[in-house]
C-alpha cells in the first residue's frame, strides 16, 4: 500500500482518546470514519474528532468519540476521506491582493497581445486621463518570449497613463504618459535601491522600473480605497483561500488599514481565515506610540511582526546574490536597505517587544539580515524573539548554521519551483541545490514554513506540496533535487511550522484536543498518491473554527 498503512498499523498508531478538559462539555459536531492525519507526534492518526464551540473537544477512534455525542450533536460520516489540519500560508499578501482584484486588470495572461486587449477593454471604460492599472503580469510566461515594453503599452493605451505591476511585486511596466506624470525621463538617475531600465541599443526608457524606483509612480497614482473597499477585498480573498484549504495566512506587508479591514470583515462574519498581520516598518513609530506590538489581538486577527525589506525578488531576478545571475555576469541584484538602516529600525522594534520579519532573498541579503539580528540579540538579548527571514531563498551551509544558532524562522516560497520553473535557469544547477532549502533547514533542526507570497506565487497548498516533494516544474523539469522532502514533512511544514512562526503552535497547526477546529477534507490521500499528481487532489471541505468555510 503505497505510502499508506494497513488497518492494523493505522489503529496501532492511534493513542487513547484525548479529550479537552471542559466540564459538562458536549460536542456540537462529530466527524467520524475518517483517515485523519493529525500532525500531532503523540497521536499521529485518528478516525474521528469532536468539535465544540469552535475547538477540537476530542480526537480518537470512532467508538470513543461517538460515545461523547449528546442528543443535539451533528454527525458527519467522512466515508474514509483524508483529513489534515488546515493549511497555513505563512507569507502572502491577501488583503492587498483582494483589493487589487477589485480594482485592477488581472494580467496573468499568456501573450502580450492578450494583455494589450485587456488593457484596451479597461481603458474604454475609464474616463479620459485616468490611470489604467494592472497586476500579476509575468514577463517569462508570455508566448512572445520577451518583456513588455513602453512601445507595447503606448500602442495599447496611448491616452491614459498605464502602470502594470509584475507578479513578483518588485518591478512595474509603464507607458510614456505614465512616465511623464511620474516625472521620469531618459536622464533621470536611478534612485538609491532602485533602477530605471533603458533600452541598451537606444538608451531610451524601456518601460520597466524596479524596487524603489516604483516610488515615483506610487506618489502620483491616485489609488485610494475606502474602508468598505478594504473590507470587500478581505471578503473576496477569503473565499479564494478557503477553496484551497487555507485556514490561516500572514499578511506580510500590512498596514493599519489592513488590520482594520480584517477586524471589519471578522465582525461582519466575512473573514474565513485567521490573519497574522505584519506591519510595514514605516508605521512602527505610530504603533509603538499607541502601545501596539506583536501578539495583540485574538485567534482570528492578530498583530504580527514589523516588516523590513533587505533585497529584491527571485521571480524578477533582482535578489542580491554573491555570484551573478547565469548569463548576466555583471548583475548581482539589488539591496533595498543598508545594514545601518535595517539596524536602526530593527533595534527600535526589538526593544519594543516586536517580532521582526525581513524580506531577504539572496545569500547577500540573508547575510546582511542575519548580521542585524545577531547584533540585536548580542546587544539586547530577548527570550525567543523568533526572528523571521521572509523568503530566505539562497541559503548556504554557513547561513543555515547561523539561522539555527539564532532560532530564526525561514519562510521559503512554497510553489515557486513548480510554477516559476522557467525562471530557475537564471540561478544555475549548483545554486538551485541551495534554494528553497527545505531539506537543509529540516535536517538542521530549523522549522521552515510554507509561504506562497501571493500574488507573486500561487497559494494553492496542493501545488506547494507537489513542488516541495518533487522539485519539478509543471513541465517535469527538475530543479535542485537535493532539497526534496517527504510528503509527511511537507504537510508539517504547511501546518504546525506555520503556527510556530506566529507564536501560535499551542492553539493551531495540528488536530489536537483543545486547539482551534481548523481542518481540510481532501478527495484523496496524499500519502497514497504519486508525488507527481498531488496538485490534482481536490479540496472537498475546509473548516475554520468549527465552521465550514468551503464545501465543494
Amino acid at each position: 500500500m503505497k505510502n499508506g498503512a494497513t488497518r492494523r498499523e493505522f489503529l496501532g498508531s492511534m493513542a487513547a482518546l484525548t479529550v479537552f478538559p471542559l466540564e459538562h462539555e458536549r460536542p456540537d459536531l462529530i466527524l467520524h470514519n475518517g483517515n485523519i492525519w493529525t500532525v500531532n507526534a503523540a497521536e499521529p492518526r485518528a478516525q474521528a474528532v469532536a468539535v465544540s464551540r469552535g475547538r477540537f473537544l476530542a480526537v480518537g477512534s470512532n467508538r470513543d468519540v461517538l460515545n461523547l455525542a449528546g442528543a443535539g450533536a451533528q454527525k458527519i460520516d467522512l466515508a474514509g476521506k483524508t483529513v489534515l489540519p488546515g493549511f497555513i500560508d505563512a507569507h502572502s499578501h491577501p488583503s492587498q491582493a483582494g483589493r487589487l482584484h477589485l480594482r485592477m486588470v488581472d494580467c496573468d495572461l499568456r501573450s502580450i497581445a492578450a494583455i494589450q486587449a485587456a488593457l484596451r477593454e479597461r481603458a474604454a471604460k475609464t474616463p479620459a486621463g485616468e490611470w489604467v492599472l494592472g497586476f500579476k503580469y509575468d514577463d517569462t510566461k508570455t508566448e512572445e518570449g520577451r518583456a513588455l515594453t513602453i512601445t507595447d503599452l503606448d500602442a495599447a493605451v496611448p491616452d491614459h497613463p498605464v502602470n502594470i505591476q509584475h507578479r513578483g511585486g518588485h518591478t512595474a511596466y509603464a507607458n510614456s504618459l505614465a512616465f511623464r506624470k511620474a516625472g521620469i525621463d531618459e536622464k533621470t538617475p536611478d534612485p538609491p535601491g532602485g533602477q530605471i531600465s533603458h533600452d541598451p541599443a537606444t538608451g531610451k526608457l524601456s518601460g520597466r522600473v524596479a524596487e524603489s524606483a516604483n516610488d515615483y509612480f506610487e506618489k502620483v497614482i491616485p489609488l485610494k480605497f475606502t474602508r468598505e473597499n478594504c473590507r470587500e477585498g478581505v471578503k473576496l480573498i477569503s473565499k479564494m483561500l478557503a477553496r484551497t484549504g487555507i485556514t490561516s495566512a500572514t499578511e506580510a506587508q500590512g498596514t493599519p488599514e489592513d488590520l482594520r479591514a480584517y477586524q471589519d470583515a471578522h465582525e461582519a462574519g466575512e473573514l474565513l481565515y485567521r490573519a497574522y498581520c505584519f506591519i510595514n516598518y514605516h508605521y512602527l513609530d505610530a504603533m509603538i506610540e499607541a502601545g501596539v506590538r506583536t501578539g495583540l489581538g485574538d485567534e482570528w486577527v492578530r498583530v504580527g511582526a514589523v516588516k523590513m525589506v533587505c533585497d529584491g525578488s527571485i521571480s524578477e531576478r533582482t535578489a542580491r546574490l554573491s555570484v551573478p545571475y547565469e548569463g548576466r555576469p555583471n548583475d548581482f541584484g539589488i539591496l533595498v536597505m543598508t545594514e545601518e538602516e535595517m539596524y536602526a529600525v530593527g533595534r527600535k522594534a526589538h526593544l519594543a517587544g516586536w517580532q521582526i520579519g525581513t524580506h531577504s532573498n539572496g545569500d547577500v541579503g540573508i547575510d546582511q539580515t542575519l548580521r542585524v539580528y545577531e547584533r540585536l540579540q548580542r546587544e539586547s538579548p530577548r527570550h525567543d524573539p523568533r526572528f523571521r527571514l521572509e523568503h530566505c531563498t539562497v541559503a548556504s551551509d554557513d547561513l543555515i548554521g547561523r539561522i539555527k544558532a539564532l532560532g530564526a524562522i525561514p519562510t521559503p516560497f512554497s510553489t515557486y519551483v513548480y510554477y516559476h520553473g522557467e525562471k530557475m535557469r537564471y540561478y544555475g544547477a549548483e545554486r538551485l541545490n541551495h534554494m528553497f532549502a527545505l531539506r537543509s533547514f529540516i535536517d538542521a533542526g530549523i522549522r521552515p514554513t510554507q509561504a506562497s507570497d501571493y500574488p507573486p506565487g500561487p497559494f494553492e497548498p496542493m501545488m506547494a506540496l507537489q513542488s516541495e516533494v518533487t522539485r519539478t516544474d509543471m513541465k517535469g523539469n527538475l530543479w535542485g533535487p537535493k532539497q526534496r522532502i517527504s510528503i509527511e514533512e511537507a504537510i508539517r511544514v504547511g501546518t504546525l511550522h506555520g503556527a510556530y512562526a506566529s507564536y501560535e503552535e499551542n492553539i493551531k497547526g495540528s488536530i489536537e484536543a483543545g486547539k482551534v477546529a481548523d481542518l481540510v477534507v481532501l478527495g484523496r490521500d496524499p500519502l497514497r498518491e504519486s508525488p507527481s499528481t498531488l496538485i490534482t487532489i481536490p479540496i472537498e471541505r475546509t473548516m475554520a473554527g468549527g465552521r465550514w468555510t468551503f464545501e465543494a
Side-chain angles (χ1 to χ4, degrees):
M1 196 177 288
K2 188 173 182 179
N3 288 328
T6 66
R7 177 174 172 80
R8 180 179 299 172
E9 290 169 337
F10 174 82
L11 294 174
S13 71
M14 291 198 302
L17 176 73
T18 55
V19 182
F20 191 53
L22 290 175
E23 188 176 1
H24 306 307
E25 192 77 18
R26 287 291 182 183
D28 310 315
L29 172 67
I30 290 177
L31 307 180
H32 62 98
N33 196 23
N35 173 33
I36 301 171
W37 294 85
T38 67
V39 194
N40 172 13
E43 186 181 10
R45 305 293 295 275
Q47 292 176 311
V49 296
V51 176
S52 177
R53 292 190 291 176
R55 306 184 91 84
F56 294 120
L57 175 65
V59 181
S61 69
N62 286 329
R63 182 184 62 189
D64 289 340
V65 174
L66 286 167
N67 280 341
L68 299 175
Q74 181 187 10
K75 301 173 189 176
I76 296 178
D77 185 341
L78 293 172
K81 291 292 173 65
T82 295
V83 176
L84 302 176
F87 287 105
I88 297 174
D89 190 336
H91 180 118
S92 60
H93 304 274
S95 176
Q96 178 194 46
R99 294 195 300 273
L100 298 185
H101 275 290
L102 288 175
R103 190 71 59 84
M104 293 189 180
V105 178
D106 188 336
C107 293
D108 184 19
L109 301 167
R110 294 299 168 260
S111 72
I112 290 173
I115 293 169
Q116 289 176 312
L119 296 175
R120 286 192 195 98
E121 182 180 353
R122 177 60 60 89
K125 303 173 183 176
T126 303
E130 291 190 8
W131 286 77
V132 173
L133 305 172
F135 78 125
K136 288 174 66 177
Y137 164 65
D138 194 330
D139 64 300
T140 64
K141 286 190 163 56
T142 52
E143 61 188 25
E144 290 87 353
R146 62 172 178 80
L148 272 171
T149 67
I150 194 169
T151 304
D152 295 325
L153 296 175
D154 285 346
V157 185
D159 300 324
H160 296 73
V162 175
N163 184 275
I164 308 299
Q165 295 178 12
H166 191 283
R167 180 161 197 153
H170 290 246
T171 59
Y173 297 77
N175 70 352
S176 295
L177 183 53
F179 274 100
R180 289 198 296 272
K181 284 185 174 290
I184 300 173
D185 61 26
E186 293 164 8
K187 297 180 181 179
T188 304
D190 289 342
Q195 185 181 71
I196 301 168
S197 298
H198 296 78
D199 185 314
T202 66
K204 294 182 178 180
L205 294 170
S206 72
R208 175 184 178 271
V209 296
E211 304 299 345
S212 64
N214 284 292
D215 295 346
Y216 286 107
F217 291 96
E218 290 177 7
K219 290 175 182 177
V220 297
I221 294 174
L223 187 61
K224 302 298 183 184
F225 294 96
T226 66
R227 181 171 180 174
E228 180 68 12
N229 294 152
C230 294
R231 182 190 63 77
E232 283 288 333
V234 171
K235 177 182 178 180
L236 172 62
I237 201 72
S238 279
K239 293 178 180 178
M240 295 170 66
L241 297 183
R243 294 179 66 88
T244 70
I246 292 173
T247 56
S248 291
T250 291
E251 183 71 42
Q253 189 67 288
T255 66
E257 287 74 23
D258 289 310
L259 196 57
R260 185 175 65 185
Y262 281 122
Q263 293 170 322
D264 288 347
H266 180 44
E267 289 172 4
E270 297 165 348
L271 180 62
L272 305 181
Y273 61 93
R274 303 178 192 279
Y276 190 63
C277 189
F278 277 23
I279 299 296
N280 180 284
Y281 76 94
H282 292 294
Y283 301 94
L284 179 60
D285 287 342
M287 286 287 180
I288 292 174
E289 180 67 22
V292 176
R293 66 182 182 194
T294 300
L296 181 67
D298 60 19
E299 294 167 353
W300 282 99
V301 181
R302 197 181 302 277
V303 176
V306 66
K307 171 72 178 295
M308 295 189 291
V309 177
C310 179
D311 71 337
S313 158
I314 289 296
S315 68
E316 294 153 284
R317 287 81 71 205
T318 60
R320 183 69 173 191
L321 305 173
S322 60
V323 177
Y325 289 87
E326 294 289 308
R328 292 153 58 173
N330 299 314
D331 188 356
F332 293 84
I334 298 172
L335 282 173
V336 177
M337 293 178 75
T338 69
E339 187 169 336
E340 284 306 309
E341 287 171 334
M342 289 174 57
Y343 172 74
V345 175
R347 183 175 185 274
K348 187 182 298 183
H350 187 67
L351 293 177
W354 282 77
Q355 186 185 31
I356 304 172
T358 304
H359 169 115
S360 40
N361 256 316
D363 53 346
V364 172
I366 296 168
D367 173 58
Q368 177 170 304
T369 300
L370 288 174
R371 286 201 302 272
V372 171
Y373 289 168
E374 289 160 347
R375 181 179 174 185
L376 293 175
Q377 196 66 348
R378 183 173 60 250
E379 294 175 350
S380 305
R382 260 181 56 195
H383 173 67
D384 197 19
R386 298 196 194 183
F387 295 119
R388 291 178 49 143
L389 296 145
E390 306 305 315
H391 312 317
C392 196
T393 302
V394 184
S396 66
D397 291 343
D398 173 69
L399 294 173
I400 289 170
R402 291 163 64 192
I403 292 168
K404 171 63 176 175
L406 267 176
I409 300 165
T411 64
F413 299 108
S414 55
T415 57
Y416 264 39
V417 173
Y418 179 85
Y419 186 77
H420 286 300
E422 76 281 355
K423 301 175 180 66
M424 297 300 107
R425 61 188 173 87
Y426 291 100
Y427 295 94
E430 174 55 31
R431 187 156 43 196
L432 278 157
N433 274 318
H434 300 275
M435 291 176 63
F436 323 109
L438 290 176
R439 177 78 277 144
S440 296
F441 292 141
I442 292 170
D443 287 350
I446 295 166
R447 286 180 263 202
T449 69
Q450 263 176 31
S452 72
D453 199 31
Y454 186 77
F459 52 71
E460 288 80 0
M462 301 315 296
M463 183 190 295
L465 296 184
Q466 182 164 318
S467 189
E468 293 161 351
V469 170
T470 68
R471 294 287 294 205
T472 58
D473 63 23
M474 61 182 71
K475 295 182 178 178
N477 299 308
L478 183 63
W479 305 102
K482 291 183 180 179
Q483 294 301 336
R484 285 182 290 206
I485 61 175
S486 72
I487 184 63
E488 293 93 337
E489 289 169 325
I491 291 169
R492 179 174 291 270
V493 165
T495 55
L496 194 56
H497 286 194
Y500 180 81
S502 60
Y503 292 96
E504 295 176 296
E505 70 273 18
N506 292 322
I507 67 165
K508 68 183 184 184
S510 59
I511 298 174
E512 298 183 52
K515 287 192 172 184
V516 292
D518 297 354
L519 59 80
V520 57
V521 181
L522 305 180
R524 301 193 303 275
D525 184 351
L527 285 97
R528 298 185 183 183
E529 188 86 7
S530 167
S532 63
T533 59
L534 289 168
I535 195 172
T536 68
I537 296 177
I539 306 299
E540 296 200 345
R541 294 186 178 193
T542 305
M543 174 184 286
R547 167 192 175 194
W548 295 117
T549 56
F550 169 71
E551 295 182 80

